[in-house]
Amino acid sequence: MSHDHAHVQEFFTARAADWDSRFPEDGPAYAAAVADLELRAGDRVLDAGCGTGRALPPLRAAVGPTGVVLGADLTPAMLTAAAAAGRDREGALLLADVAALPLPSECLDAVFAAGLIAHLPRPVENLRELARVVRPGGRLALFHPIGRAALAARQGRRITSDDLRAEPSLRPLLSRSGWRMTSYVDEDARFLALAVREG
């Protein structure tokens, strides 16, 4: 897929209205990934590239009423779908590019990003921007509800050697971006890489 903003917006705008109905079984996988992020009551968390906001309810449950939940996405239609599903009650929705977040430095405890890395135009710089808004010791979850092989099969393609989500590629990419990978899971049922913001 193209990383150009216009193409990303066009792709997701065309799919926003029925996005959730296309993947109705994903809810438990999102909840499990949020649990692995080990958020605490009162934490401040961003869902980067939140789409229709499927992660917002478990994120809100994890941080409780005193926490802060933000969902940022580049595509207005996705945020409209999130609001239509009532997920704007779980967190504030921001029309924003994750490559240039309208947030102060070190204001968050964690970032959750589902399916985001494949759409980043400049992965090192973009992951560095996510690191900028997270305090040292804060956490990052790069998630997808199915693993790389299952996703490639769904899309009718093969995994290539330059796949950013492959562990040998992702670990140094995160390191160059201010993160230290702490765990990596790539199974048919889910993809989840966890990292800690370096101090």
Side-chain angles (χ1 to χ4, degrees):
M1 169 175 289
S2 169
H3 301 305
D4 174 79
H5 282 170
H7 286 102
V8 169
Q9 285 180 315
E10 182 181 345
F11 178 87
F12 285 108
T13 296
R15 293 161 176 80
D18 68 345
W19 188 262
D20 288 351
S21 63
R22 293 176 64 206
F23 308 107
E25 311 290 323
D26 288 350
Y30 273 80
V34 168
D36 285 342
L37 194 51
E38 298 182 349
L39 295 166
R40 296 171 297 214
D43 274 355
R44 298 153 300 171
V45 61
L46 169 69
D47 182 1
C50 67
T52 61
R54 289 181 292 172
L56 297 182
L59 289 171
R60 171 55 68 196
V63 304
T66 62
V68 174
V69 177
L70 304 173
D73 203 274
L74 186 66
T75 305
M78 284 298 216
L79 296 177
T80 298
R87 295 180 184 132
D88 55 336
R89 294 190 297 269
E90 310 293 346
L93 300 177
L94 307 173
L95 180 61
D97 182 354
V98 299
L101 290 163
L103 299 171
S105 296
E106 299 183 7
C107 68
L108 300 173
D109 297 293
V111 172
F112 183 88
L116 178 69
I117 195 165
H119 304 291
L120 297 177
R122 295 178 305 282
V124 172
E125 292 87 347
N126 302 151
L127 289 168
R128 192 172 291 141
E129 172 66 356
L130 296 181
R132 179 189 68 79
V133 299
V134 174
R135 63 169 174 79
R139 298 167 305 286
L140 170 69
L142 298 175
F143 166 73
H144 200 281
I146 59 175
R148 293 186 310 126
L151 181 61
R154 176 191 284 175
Q155 296 173 341
R157 61 176 178 83
R158 293 181 179 270
I159 295 176
T160 60
S161 59
D162 62 349
D163 185 350
L164 290 179
R165 290 163 293 192
E167 186 174 8
S169 300
L170 187 57
R171 187 177 295 274
L173 172 62
L174 287 166
S175 181
R176 292 195 307 272
S177 306
W179 300 96
R180 176 176 51 83
M181 187 188 290
T182 57
S183 69
Y184 180 91
V185 175
D186 182 17
E187 303 167 340
D188 281 349
R190 78 165 171 170
F191 175 90
L192 182 65
L194 298 173
V196 171
R197 165 79 157 82
E198 296 280 39

